[in-house]
Amino acid sequence: MTAQTTNLTGLDIRAEIDRLRKERNAVILAHYYQKPEIQDLADFVGDSLELSRKAAESDADVIAFCGVKFMADTAKILSPDKIVVLPDLNAGCSLEDACPPEKFKAFREAHPDHIALTYINCSTEVKALSDVIVTSSSAETILAQIPPEQKIIFGPDRHLGGYLNRKFGRDMLLWPGVCIVHEAFSETELLKLKAQHPDAPIAAHPECPPHIVDHADYVGSTSGILQYAKTMPGDKLIVATEPHIIHQMEKALPNKTFIGAPGADGNCNCNICPYMALNTLEKLYLALRDLSPRIEIEEGLRLRAKKSLDKMLEMASGTVGKGDLGRA
């Protein structure tokens, strides 16, 4: 019988997760894009690298990463001696899928005078082929340290790379990947929403396409958008990123109103990440019970990938999780 067909009828899933968390000495991580019920029982909620670093610093024996596979892989890269489980191994990422390692390798070989500045939303194999990994929080700080004459490949997110090109006057060679969630926002519907709430600023993730970012009052990572919500002067905010971040905003700021930016159908439901949604409380329980699906990475590959992550932390450790891309 597979874990997926196990009968969980009558089981108090939350109580069982708490029991297993203690028995396994496990830390439960939840990305901001997870469902509220998963966020609420996690030990830590945050951006992907921020979570992996907190888990690495903990004394936990097991990391249960409620996110997508590249995030769990990153946790394993930083915590090779810990058991890392992902509730659903099919929880992938459109950016990772858009950048197959063999094609990225060939692309690098075709541009030998370029260094590879690579967004963390990629596979372990692509990290191992990169020079420096960046997050949406650290990208600006790192790019500012690279001489203007140095040619750069930026992948896999062409929207984040394009945003950085425009802001810094760079001409990075962009890999053509996109996040299907942020690609789904509609400029027409956003303008309609802004007309209904003219006093509400817009906060956007830099994975959004230019026609969304250009309307934003603030551009930053999920952590940065949450921080902006706390410090903005008004009491209403339009949020152009995966809408589950709004759960944390409403918990932290119950007196403010947060409105998810709409997709083409006029609501934000189409912008829910289908990969993040694969994780459920039931799957988290089974992952802790069975210690499976387990993340395994060959040691040589892990060390090559860790080198590019270490380079990022060397260049911009103070920015990780700070969301400091700033105003548009």
Side-chain angles (χ1 to χ4, degrees), residues 95 98-100 103-104 107 153-158 173-177:
L95 283 168
C99 191
K103 291 186 178 180
F104 189 73
F107 192 69
I153 291 169
F154 188 93
D157 191 324
R158 66 182 173 90
L173 188 58
L174 306 180
W175 186 269

Side-chain angles (χ1 to χ4, degrees), residues 95 117-122 134-136 154-157 160 205 207:
L95 283 168
L117 203 64
T118 308
Y119 191 31
I120 196 168
N121 296 38
C122 64
V134 302
T135 64
S136 49
F154 188 93
D157 191 324
L160 174 56
H205 196 286
E207 290 178 25

Side-chain angles (χ1 to χ4, degrees), residues 25-323:
N25 187 28
V27 60
I28 299 175
L29 310 177
H31 190 270
Y32 287 126
Y33 297 166
Q34 288 293 286
K35 299 167 187 173
E37 59 264 30
I38 292 179
Q39 293 187 38
D40 288 346
L41 60 74
D43 296 292
F44 298 106
V45 179
D47 282 329
S48 61
L49 182 60
E50 175 191 9
L51 291 172
S52 291
R53 294 182 78 194
K54 285 180 176 177
E57 293 165 0
S58 76
D59 62 358
D61 297 314
V62 175
I63 300 170
F65 208 127
C66 298
V68 296
K69 188 175 182 297
F70 83 80
M71 298 178 183
D73 286 350
T74 301
K76 186 65 175 179
I77 291 168
L78 297 183
S79 299
D81 297 328
K82 299 182 191 293
I83 294 170
V84 180
V85 294
L86 181 67
D88 192 318
L89 208 55
N90 291 317
C93 172
S94 58
L95 283 168
E96 178 178 348
D97 293 344
C99 191
E102 65 278 4
K103 291 186 178 180
F104 189 73
K105 183 175 185 290
F107 192 69
R108 288 222 60 184
E109 290 171 349
H111 301 90
D113 55 344
H114 288 60
I115 63 170
L117 203 64
T118 308
Y119 191 31
I120 196 168
N121 296 38
C122 64
S123 66
T124 301
E125 290 79 7
V126 168
K127 287 181 176 68
L129 292 166
S130 302
D131 296 292
V132 189
I133 297 300
V134 302
T135 64
S136 49
S137 301
S138 65
E140 289 195 17
T141 300
I142 290 170
L143 187 58
Q145 296 175 55
I146 299 174
E149 64 273 13
Q150 174 61 59
K151 295 180 179 180
I152 300 171
I153 291 169
F154 188 93
D157 191 324
R158 66 182 173 90
H159 291 322
L160 174 56
Y163 171 79
L164 294 167
N165 272 345
R166 295 190 302 276
K167 187 164 185 179
F168 281 83
R170 302 295 287 243
D171 187 28
M172 295 187 293
L173 188 58
L174 306 180
W175 186 269
V178 296
C179 167
I180 58 172
V181 171
H182 294 92
E183 186 80 351
F185 290 115
S186 164
E187 181 181 25
T188 300
E189 294 299 326
L190 179 62
L191 291 175
K192 289 180 185 177
L193 187 63
K194 181 66 176 177
Q196 295 170 24
H197 306 279
D199 297 330
I202 298 170
H205 196 286
E207 290 178 25
C208 291
H211 60 261
I212 298 299
V213 168
D214 288 348
H215 294 291
D217 300 277
Y218 175 85
V219 180
S221 70
T222 41
S223 293
I225 291 173
L226 178 58
Q227 186 59 35
Y228 176 72
K230 294 176 179 177
T231 57
M232 69 177 192
D235 59 2
K236 188 181 293 185
L237 178 66
I238 297 170
V239 181
T241 189
E242 213 275 0
H244 283 119
I245 180 63
I246 292 175
H247 179 61
Q248 290 298 318
M249 294 176 173
E250 290 174 341
K251 286 177 66 174
L253 304 156
N255 296 323
K256 293 189 177 184
T257 300
F258 302 101
I259 308 164
D265 63 353
N267 66 65
C268 67
N269 290 337
C270 65
N271 302 315
I272 291 174
C273 177
Y275 299 106
M276 291 281 188
L278 291 174
N279 295 311
T280 65
L281 291 181
E282 291 77 12
K283 291 175 185 176
L284 173 58
Y285 160 72
L286 294 171
L288 286 169
R289 188 194 70 181
D290 302 336
L291 295 182
S292 175
R294 193 178 299 198
I295 301 297
E296 301 288 0
I297 301 174
E298 188 272 324
E299 182 63 6
L301 173 62
R302 186 190 73 83
L303 291 173
R304 292 194 301 275
K306 186 175 183 293
K307 186 176 180 180
S308 62
L309 282 165
D310 287 343
K311 188 64 176 176
M312 176 189 66
L313 296 174
E314 173 191 328
M315 296 177 75
S317 62
T319 68
V320 174
K322 304 299 184 191

